[in-house]
Amino acid sequence: MAVISNGTTVFDAGALGSGVPTGALTHIKTLTASADTATMVFTHGTSGVVFNNTYDSYLFKVINLHPENDGWFLNVDFSINGSDFDLEKLSNAYRAQQTESASAATVAYVTGADNANAAAVQPISFDSSNDDDHAMSGELQIFAPSDTTFVKHYTSRFIANGSSNFAADYWVSGFINTTSAITTVKFLMAGGDFDSGEISLYGVKG
Amino acid sequence: MGLISNGTTLFDAGAMSAGLGGEMVFIKKLTASSSATLTFVDGTDNVVLDNTYREYIFYFNNIHHVGNDKKFYFQVNAAGGSGFDETAISTYFRAYEKEDNSSGVLSYETGQDMTGTGTIELSDSLGSDDDQSMCGWLKLYNPSSTTFTTNYVAECQNYHAGDFSLATKVAGYINVTAAIDEVKFYTNGDSFQTGTITMYGIT
């Protein structure tokens, strides 16, 4: 049954009408990790994932991602065909940290987490703890991934319990140095798997 | 009466189904009026702060202080707790520039981060000039979890009492595995004259 008001279809076929204004943040897909989840992958056109020019930018929200092993980076990588993850990136990385014993407070550039036109993965959380009550949360935003004129910019910010019991505030920004459309985003640990946690993909309307 | 279209419930019990109206859901706005504290308590005055949402965002809009050179804090209570004194580990760094272009700075501030049960500082030296205020946001991730500590991140932009633009970046975790169900914003003396804090949930 459709609901039509003043000539405008408000609802039809179980969905809001296209002319009805809604929020600018649209949930697309949530992936949930369980024990021994090696990668969490979002590919346009697969399992309900939209990752093209439908939205101006895409936001990944990571909630309480818990790694199997201690002390490894959380990485992200990108592909234009779903199988080859070898795109060059140019990025910067820095972090603020404070230990539970208040012994090592600092903000500093992290040379081991940036990329200088390297085809390597992009670290977005740098020293993850696998203690039972520790996890990492944060956001990665990718702008206009299907654009074929410009490179693809991304920014991220994560908060994590560091492996040596510290609060770590991780900041990364950069661009994927390609003018091809990005179709796949993959999250993985540098060592070991994920044990639990969620990654949700949202589209941001312009 | 529910409204069902093609098998999908669009409305029921006076509410729109989740996701139809957007993923960022308004929960509550508090408006300061010489207020010493602005507090959000789950189950009180329509505030929801439980496992309904995985992420909660508080936006600060033009917080203006009665007195000059005051700080902006938050703290939380775990379910059943009181006193707003949960243990937290918090980082704090800032960037600022003065109106006379004399001192662009980026620095970590060891006196304003926190390890312990004290106040969690989000911004510093709020100016009380008529045109001075502070804006920003705080995000809490999955505060109802009883497995993990509760992570948070915040950013504030402040017209500092010393007449400069101050950006503060704060992040940390509430170091308990109990659910967090109360959040309080406050200051180090007198009160917030005007301004709003608006709470949202992310579906």
Side-chain angles (χ1 to χ4, degrees):
Chain A
M1 179 191 77
V3 176
I4 300 172
S5 174
N6 199 30
T8 297
T9 299
V10 178
F11 292 105
D12 194 19
L16 282 174
S18 59
V20 176
T22 59
L25 187 67
T26 301
H27 175 259
I28 296 171
K29 182 78 177 179
T30 294
L31 297 180
T32 302
S34 55
D36 301 324
T37 298
T39 61
M40 300 176 80
V41 181
F42 296 82
T43 298
H44 174 68
T46 301
S47 301
V49 171
V50 175
F51 197 73
N52 59 6
N53 62 357
T54 302
Y55 299 97
D56 281 8
S57 69
Y58 290 84
L59 183 64
F60 294 89
K61 287 182 174 286
V62 176
I63 308 289
N64 283 355
L65 201 56
H66 181 76
E68 174 189 27
N69 292 337
D70 209 36
W72 294 95
F73 287 6
L74 169 63
N75 294 324
V76 65
D77 211 346
F78 312 96
S79 175
I80 61 173
N81 60 16
S83 57
D84 298 319
F85 291 88
D86 54 2
L87 300 171
E88 293 186 346
K89 306 158 193 80
L90 182 59
S91 63
N92 60 74
Y94 59 99
R95 74 174 179 187
Q97 69 174 44
Q98 168 65 303
T99 64
E100 293 186 3
S101 59
S103 60
T106 185
V107 59
Y109 194 88
V110 182
T111 54
D114 61 3
N115 267 311
N117 269 342
V121 296
Q122 176 61 63
I124 49 179
S125 186
F126 308 152
D127 182 10
S128 308
S129 169
N130 71 344
D131 287 4
D132 287 347
D133 62 345
H134 287 180
M136 49 192 151
S137 302
E139 296 180 357
L140 166 70
Q141 190 159 13
I142 302 173
F143 300 88
S146 67
D147 188 281
T148 54
T149 301
F150 299 110
V151 300
K152 313 301 181 293
H153 293 281
Y154 55 89
T155 64
S156 71
R157 185 185 185 189
F158 277 75
I159 171 65
N161 310 78
S163 61
S164 301
N165 293 330
F166 57 88
D169 184 7
Y170 299 120
W171 300 69
V172 171
S173 63
F175 59 85
I176 308 160
N177 202 357
T178 180
T179 55
S180 297
I182 303 296
T183 61
T184 300
V185 179
K186 177 172 71 175
F187 296 86
L188 65 162
M189 295 302 299
D193 300 325
F194 302 114
D195 272 351
S196 63
E198 292 181 355
I199 303 178
S200 295
L201 170 63
Y202 298 83
V204 181
K205 293 178 184 173
Chain B
M1 182 188 78
L3 175 60
I4 300 171
S5 173
N6 200 32
T8 299
T9 298
L10 304 172
F11 288 100
D12 195 19
M16 183 184 286
S17 295
L20 287 179
E23 318 300 348
M24 184 171 170
V25 178
F26 169 85
I27 296 174
K28 183 76 176 179
K29 176 187 279 188
L30 297 180
T31 300
S33 177
S34 298
S35 307
T37 63
L38 294 170
T39 305
F40 297 83
V41 176
D42 179 53
T44 301
D45 295 329
N46 299 316
V47 170
V48 176
L49 184 59
D50 57 15
N51 63 358
T52 302
Y53 303 100
R54 302 286 272 173
E55 176 186 345
Y56 290 86
I57 303 177
F58 300 87
Y59 278 102
F60 324 128
N61 199 343
N62 283 340
I63 299 294
H64 179 77
H65 210 278
V66 172
N68 201 38
D69 194 17
K70 299 298 181 183
K71 295 178 181 291
F72 183 64
Y73 299 133
F74 90 102
Q75 247 291 5
V76 301
N77 278 333
S82 62
F84 292 96
D85 55 0
E86 300 299 339
T87 299
I89 316 299
S90 202
T91 67
Y92 186 108
F93 69 100
R94 66 179 185 176
Y96 64 84
E97 170 63 299
K98 292 187 175 179
E99 290 184 352
D100 62 5
N101 194 29
S102 64
S103 64
V105 169
L106 172 68
S107 62
Y108 191 95
E109 294 301 317
T110 54
Q112 292 166 280
D113 61 6
M114 213 277 284
T115 57
T117 58
T119 55
I120 304 171
E121 183 171 333
L122 297 178
S123 190
D124 183 27
S125 293
L126 276 66
S128 63
D129 290 358
D130 288 347
D131 63 347
Q132 291 182 323
S133 65
M134 185 278 299
C135 297
W137 51 259
L138 165 71
K139 297 180 181 179
L140 297 180
Y141 293 105
N142 201 18
S144 69
S145 172
T146 55
T147 300
F148 299 113
T149 63
T150 296
N151 294 326
Y152 59 85
V153 296
E155 294 187 39
C156 293
Q157 170 56 35
N158 176 26
Y159 193 167
H160 189 280
D163 292 338
F164 53 92
S165 172
L166 171 67
T168 52
K169 319 290 184 181
V170 176
Y173 52 91
I174 309 298
N175 202 11
V176 298
T177 53
I180 303 301
D181 66 354
E182 299 181 4
V183 179
K184 180 174 77 170
F185 299 92
Y186 56 110
T187 178
N188 61 332
D190 54 65
S191 57
F192 305 120
Q193 188 170 44
T194 56
T196 61
I197 300 180
T198 308
M199 178 184 186
Y200 301 86
I202 303 296
T203 59

